[in-house]
Amino acid sequence: MMTSQHAGRRDDRIERINSHPRFFTRHLHSAKAYAMRINSYLQRLIMSCWLLLAFTTPLFANERLPLSEEQVSALGIVLAQPESATNAPLVTVTGRVALPPGRDYLVNAPQAGFVQQLRVSVGERVTRGQVIASLTSPDWVSLQRQWLSAEGERLLAWRQYQRDQHLHQAGVIPDRRWQETEALYQSRLAQAEEAKQLLKLGGLSEHALQQLVATRQIQTTLTVHAPLDGVVLERLANTGQALSMLEPIYRIGDPRELWLELAIPPQYREWAKPGTLVQLDPEAAQARILRLGRGIDSKTQGIPAQARVESGTDQLLIGQMINAQLLRHAATPMWRLPLTALSAHAGDHHVFVRTEDGFLVKHVILLSQQDGVALISGESLHAEDRVAVKGTVALKAQWLGLGGDE
């Protein structure tokens, strides 16, 4: 009785569904929407699990990886100790090695003449007073003749001055004649002194002046001497060239102190303060910023800065273009290791530190890398630690349980 009633009701529902197609379509759309919502929930769940795994990766740091000595030897693992670094490179800039103000000199022709000989070359070291060039100068001959003539007239005026002084004291000559004699002597003295100073400007020493007076032999060649101990930076004249008075022949510099002319990117202005260390290439040379400009150089679009080289000056050449790194002092410990010592996983970096029973996985932060060397930060790392620098691929595979594949 009940079975026939249920069957009758079922037939009625089927008949109503068939007679109303919209009813079937509406329920079908509801089922599809429900399935889509379930799929969306599953995708969100998978993404949440992936993010949780990624952000909890550092939690695996300090995990121990047990390995025997035989296993370590079989894997070909090489160990090295981290090198402490107190400063981190911030940015690499281009600089030019230069002399500080007052350290370079122009050697000029004392008188007009022709270059007879140039005795030193660019890059050669010279000492103060060394003969570096010689000129043939008619004007130099005239100056010597003028001084000999002026000196003779001065001596003659000096004798007359002494004679008239005694006569005036004795009342033999009037005051007017004594005054004329005194004025003539002062005039001859000034003329002789002028001619003497012109010869000294030409490089003639006091001893050479006395010899000229004693021998009366006029020199036809004008020698040019180095004004200081230094290096020849530039040659500005050629043999046989006609030079006018004070025309440059050489530029000489004193390289005992060197500066760097830097162009600092504007965004790093706050870091390039006076006292900031600058690491040069080669690494043996270091400089320290002295002052920072207050404008932008139109050519480099950088802020001009000057730095004094504190070490490694013997490895630098004046005018040399060189790469330099601004160093930033870091509060946390920093270390240098070969780049092969680092293992990357899920966006983080780790190193393997040797222990008695294997290795300890430590999380580090990669700050920079250059020429196969990594600069890292890690408070858990110590100078006495022995870090794997070769064979880290095999260690990473063992750590992640990949069976030997990275």
Side-chain angles (χ1 to χ4, degrees):
M1 183 73 179
M2 292 296 294
T3 303
S4 59
Q5 288 180 354
H6 283 296
R9 291 175 183 175
R10 183 186 63 187
D11 294 339
D12 292 340
R13 287 197 299 269
I14 293 174
E15 184 178 357
R16 285 197 303 270
I17 290 173
N18 292 332
S19 61
H20 298 282
R22 292 182 179 178
F23 177 84
F24 177 78
T25 303
R26 184 173 64 251
H27 282 273
L28 181 62
H29 288 173
S30 299
K32 288 183 178 180
Y34 182 71
M36 291 178 64
R37 284 199 299 271
I38 293 177
N39 185 39
S40 176
Y41 292 150
L42 289 175
Q43 289 181 353
R44 292 180 184 178
L45 179 61
I46 293 172
M47 181 63 69
S48 299
C49 292
W50 183 86
L51 291 175
L52 180 63
L53 177 63
F55 284 105
T56 55
T57 298
L59 295 177
F60 293 102
N62 296 330
E63 180 180 352
R64 294 189 176 275
L65 183 62
L67 286 175
S68 64
E69 287 289 344
E70 292 77 10
Q71 291 175 312
V72 171
S73 178
L75 292 173
I77 297 172
V78 178
L79 306 175
Q81 290 184 318
E83 178 185 353
S84 177
T86 56
N87 295 285
L90 182 64
V91 63
T92 300
V93 298
T94 301
R96 188 179 74 90
V97 182
L99 288 170
R103 289 283 183 172
D104 60 337
Y105 299 84
L106 276 179
V107 181
N108 304 316
Q111 295 295 326
F114 296 90
V115 179
Q116 186 181 54
Q117 188 179 18
L118 297 173
R119 302 192 181 184
V120 291
S121 303
V122 175
E124 187 174 342
R125 288 189 173 272
V126 295
T127 57
R128 182 183 179 91
Q130 177 182 342
V131 177
I132 58 176
S134 57
L135 308 177
T136 300
S137 173
D139 292 345
W140 180 245
V141 175
S142 299
L143 283 177
Q144 296 175 82
R145 180 190 56 78
Q146 291 173 10
W147 184 72
L148 289 175
S149 176
E151 183 66 12
E153 292 179 359
R154 184 195 68 81
L155 290 174
L156 182 61
W158 167 247
R159 294 190 184 98
Q160 185 177 352
Y161 175 86
Q162 288 182 317
R163 184 179 64 253
D164 287 356
Q165 185 180 33
H166 291 300
L167 293 176
H168 180 260
Q169 291 176 351
V172 176
I173 59 175
D175 292 343
R176 181 180 179 82
R177 180 177 170 179
W178 163 242
Q179 292 172 0
E180 290 176 351
T181 301
E182 186 177 19
L184 179 63
Y185 171 69
Q186 294 297 333
S187 175
R188 296 291 187 266
L189 180 63
Q191 292 175 3
E193 187 64 26
E194 178 187 5
K196 180 180 179 180
Q197 293 303 321
L198 287 174
L199 290 177
K200 283 189 172 182
L201 287 175
L204 209 60
S205 63
E206 189 70 34
H207 177 69
L209 286 170
Q210 294 176 2
Q211 283 187 334
L212 179 60
V213 173
T215 62
R216 298 287 171 169
Q217 293 181 355
I218 295 178
Q219 302 176 10
T220 59
T221 301
L222 173 60
T223 55
V224 181
H225 303 266
L228 76 159
D229 297 338
V231 175
V232 178
L233 304 178
E234 192 175 1
R235 191 185 70 179
L236 304 171
N238 297 312
T239 304
Q241 181 179 345
L243 300 178
S244 59
M245 186 176 180
L246 299 181
E247 191 168 347
I249 303 175
Y250 286 108
R251 188 167 72 94
I252 298 177
D254 182 0
R256 290 178 296 179
E257 181 180 348
L258 296 178
W259 280 18
L260 284 181
E261 296 177 351
L262 304 171
I264 307 298
Q267 62 269 30
Y268 292 98
R269 179 180 180 181
E270 294 300 322
W271 294 101
K273 296 179 179 179
T276 301
L277 278 177
V278 179
Q279 182 71 53
L280 308 184
D281 185 16
E283 293 188 358
Q286 275 193 343
R288 194 177 297 272
I289 291 181
L290 294 175
R291 52 177 175 262
L292 185 67
R294 299 182 63 85
I296 299 292
D297 187 279
S298 59
K299 295 181 180 179
T300 62
Q301 289 301 303
I303 303 175
Q306 289 80 38
R308 178 188 289 118
V309 179
E310 296 183 341
S311 61
T313 55
D314 56 335
Q315 302 182 38
L316 303 175
L317 300 175
I318 300 169
Q320 178 183 358
M321 300 300 295
I322 194 169
N323 292 327
Q325 289 183 330
L326 296 183
L327 300 183
R328 178 181 62 182
H329 183 75
T332 57
M334 295 185 302
W335 311 92
R336 287 190 180 93
L337 278 172
L339 196 58
T340 55
L342 272 64
S343 293
H345 177 61
D348 291 296
H349 292 86
H350 302 81
V351 294
F352 300 95
V353 179
R354 188 74 167 99
T355 60
E356 293 182 356
D357 57 350
F359 287 89
L360 183 65
V361 183
K362 291 190 176 183
H363 176 257
V364 295
I365 299 174
L366 177 62
L367 300 176
S368 65
Q369 57 181 7
Q370 185 177 5
D371 298 331
V373 178
L375 181 68
I376 61 175
S377 173
E379 295 184 357
S380 61
L381 207 59
H382 303 91
E384 62 273 9
D385 287 342
R386 295 182 300 158
V387 180
V389 297
K390 186 177 180 182
T392 53
V393 174
L395 288 176
K396 179 181 177 180
Q398 293 289 334
W399 172 44
L400 300 178
L402 299 179
D405 296 329
E406 183 176 354

